[in-house]
Amino acid sequence: MFGTHDLVMFVIAGLLLNITPGADTLYIVGRSASQGARAGAVAALGIGAGCFVHVSAAALGLSALLSASALGFAIVKYVGAAYLFYLGVSMIVRHARPTDAAKTLAAEALSRVFWGGFLTNALNPKVALFFLAFLPQFIDAASPSKGLGMLFLGVVFTFNATLWNLFVAWSSATVSSRFKASPAIAAWLNRACGGLFLYFSLKLVRSNA
């Protein structure tokens, strides 16, 4: 659809990344712990809205370059492969440390909770880099609609991420606190996700050879 391929692999990779604890998860858990599941859900929706900033930037900013130049497409994919390789190695060797999942935040109006989630995600350069590196490798180089393809993949990723984040908001008092308090589980997820990114990186290089 829209020149995309390996959609099942894309969804699996996205879900694995989503369940790996990060800044977004900490914000949702903090809001849920301090103001309840409703505030956590609003935070999750704000983070989902922030994702669309990165999706739109990737779709609009890269589509012109990728559509106009086969060389540009190859360069972006090679740079993306290098970033994914670095990301994979970093996640594999990272030492997991227990975090305070029950950390609470000062109560705020739900509108401020939403915009706090939005800014947490939209201003995170690591999220921007991830979308720029990750989306193009699931687009056919010969596709005439690369921008639509990246937009489609971004919507799929954001939809799945929001579902997971809503679950985190609902379960933060029990499931998420135990999940994040376990260094063993965090280390396993980091290594699994890191290994997947290494695979994607090598797959990218081989596809461009």
Side-chain angles (χ1 to χ4, degrees):
M1 185 178 293
F2 304 115
T4 63
H5 58 83
D6 295 328
L7 184 59
V8 173
M9 182 64 73
F10 174 82
V11 170
I12 292 173
L15 288 174
L16 187 58
L17 179 69
N18 290 330
I19 67 176
T20 304
D24 291 346
T25 303
L26 284 175
Y27 182 76
I28 293 168
V29 171
R31 283 299 169 199
S32 295
S34 61
Q35 293 180 250
R38 184 181 179 187
V42 170
L45 294 176
I47 286 168
C51 276
F52 280 111
V53 172
H54 301 294
V55 171
S56 300
L60 296 177
L62 285 178
S63 60
L65 170 64
L66 302 185
S67 297
S69 169
L71 177 60
F73 186 83
I75 290 173
V76 167
K77 293 190 77 175
Y78 275 122
V79 172
Y83 175 71
L84 291 177
F85 184 85
Y86 165 77
L87 188 63
V89 172
S90 298
M91 296 186 78
I92 290 172
V93 302
R94 181 183 303 162
H95 294 288
R97 293 185 297 269
T99 55
D100 183 9
K103 180 181 178 181
T104 58
L105 302 172
E108 291 185 342
L110 291 181
S111 60
R112 291 180 64 86
V113 171
F114 176 88
W115 288 112
F118 175 85
L119 293 174
T120 296
N121 186 277
L123 299 181
N124 188 342
K126 292 183 179 179
V127 179
L129 285 172
F130 173 77
F131 275 110
L132 291 174
F134 197 56
L135 297 185
Q137 69 169 296
F138 292 93
I139 303 294
D140 190 337
S143 172
S145 54
K146 295 182 179 68
L148 285 176
M150 283 189 285
L151 184 61
F152 169 71
L153 292 176
V155 169
V156 170
F157 179 90
T158 302
F159 176 78
N160 291 332
T162 301
L163 289 181
W164 169 256
N165 287 336
L166 288 172
F167 172 76
V168 169
W170 174 76
S171 62
S172 61
T174 54
V175 176
S176 293
S177 59
R178 295 174 186 174
F179 170 77
K180 289 185 65 59
S182 171
I185 293 178
W188 183 88
L189 286 172
N190 280 336
R191 290 167 186 161
C193 203
L196 192 59
F197 288 153
L198 288 179
Y199 166 77
F200 284 146
S201 174
L202 297 176
K203 183 174 179 288
L204 257 180
V205 172
R206 292 185 64 183
S207 69
N208 289 333

